[in-house]
Amino acid sequence: MANPFRWCLVSQDCVLQVNVVLVVVGLIILLDVFSHLYLKTVMFPGLRVYPVSLRTWLFWVRFMTMVSYVLNACLGIRMARHPNIFMFAGYMLVGCVVLLYTFSIAVTRFMYPRRFKFYVQMLVNQMWIKDTLGKVEVEFGCCGRTSAADYLKGSTNRTWASGSCCGEHNCPGCTSKLTDYLWTVEMDVARDNIIVSLFLFVALAIVAVHYSRVKFQEDSYDSDDSEETSSMPPAT
């Protein structure tokens, strides 16, 4: 019987190569995960409330997801060299779970935009109360929470950071600046997880097609052997 999957044959080398690509992509995205942690540590240290993309629990979820992503790709590389039904089952199971996590993280970044803006306002208010907004003012070219008027309305005699634009005309507040910037961080997280989801989906499809083909070939060999055995005359 002709192989119904002959139009999409996938070689063993292709399975190996696609998993090598997954390892490379996973390591690159891991660097992005740590860059967001570095941003939180340097720019917004010691705060109680953060937007979701900078929260500790999301860092650990992304970190563990990407580690599982890379380790599963390493399993795929070994499986390409030494095919095994248990490796195949484990690879597909872990791959589907990681795919679910990465896709969920990507999709949720586009949800709750109002809640995101609320958390940014809370972040700016915390920095204002702790009088640590000066670094943000210098880095993003902003002044106070809404404008330089915040320094005039405060009950304490505060002065803005040297190097900020507070003394200039039309100097914007830091809330709007940080809202735009931290939204790009949210989109970076979404982009990273969309990329790894697409690569992983393609890899799972390629591995499934390859091992389906291998199974069909083994079945055809078995049928050929059985036909030859049946055609042999009985021993006398």
Side-chain angles (χ1 to χ4, degrees), residues 3 33 47 108 114 180:
N3 187 353
V33 173
L47 303 181
T108 52
R114 292 183 180 178
D180 294 338

Side-chain angles (χ1 to χ4, degrees), residues 85-152:
I85 187 62
F86 296 106
M87 288 185 184
F88 172 74
Y91 180 88
M92 297 300 293
L93 177 62
V94 174
C96 288
V97 172
V98 172
L99 180 62
L100 176 63
Y101 267 84
T102 55
F103 184 75
S104 299
I105 294 172
V107 170
T108 52
R109 301 285 57 77
F110 297 97
M111 302 170 66
Y112 316 117
R114 292 183 180 178
R115 187 178 299 180
F116 165 77
K117 293 180 180 180
F118 169 76
Y119 284 123
V120 174
Q121 291 175 355
M122 291 292 293
L123 182 144
V124 175
N125 287 337
Q126 290 176 92
M127 299 187 75
W128 177 259
I129 292 172
K130 292 188 174 185
D131 198 16
T132 59
L133 201 59
K135 183 184 295 184
V136 173
E137 290 177 337
V138 175
E139 184 70 24
F140 294 96
C142 56
C143 185
R145 289 173 293 184
T146 58
S147 66
D150 291 331
Y151 287 98
L152 304 178

Side-chain angles (χ1 to χ4, degrees), residues 37-55:
L37 178 64
Y38 176 78
L39 169 68
K40 171 186 175 180
T41 304
V42 172
M43 293 300 299
F44 315 107
L47 303 181
R48 295 176 61 87
V49 179
Y50 294 94
V52 176
S53 60
L54 297 181
R55 293 187 185 178

Side-chain angles (χ1 to χ4, degrees), residues 8-15 79-80 83 88 204-217:
C8 58
L9 297 181
V10 176
S11 68
Q12 189 172 355
D13 289 338
C14 183
V15 174
M79 182 177 62
F88 172 74
L204 291 174
I206 288 175
V207 170
V209 169
H210 173 70
Y211 279 94
S212 296
R213 180 179 69 84
V214 170
K215 180 179 182 299
F216 279 114
Q217 285 182 344

Side-chain angles (χ1 to χ4, degrees), residues 15-16 18-20 22-23 67-95 204 207 211:
V15 174
L16 175 65
V18 74
N19 281 285
V20 170
L22 288 188
V23 172
V67 169
S68 301
Y69 186 89
V70 172
L71 292 178
N72 198 48
C74 293
L75 176 62
I77 294 173
R78 178 173 175 78
M79 182 177 62
R81 293 298 186 187
H82 306 284
N84 183 287
I85 187 62
F86 296 106
M87 288 185 184
F88 172 74
Y91 180 88
M92 297 300 293
L93 177 62
V94 174
L204 291 174
V207 170
Y211 279 94

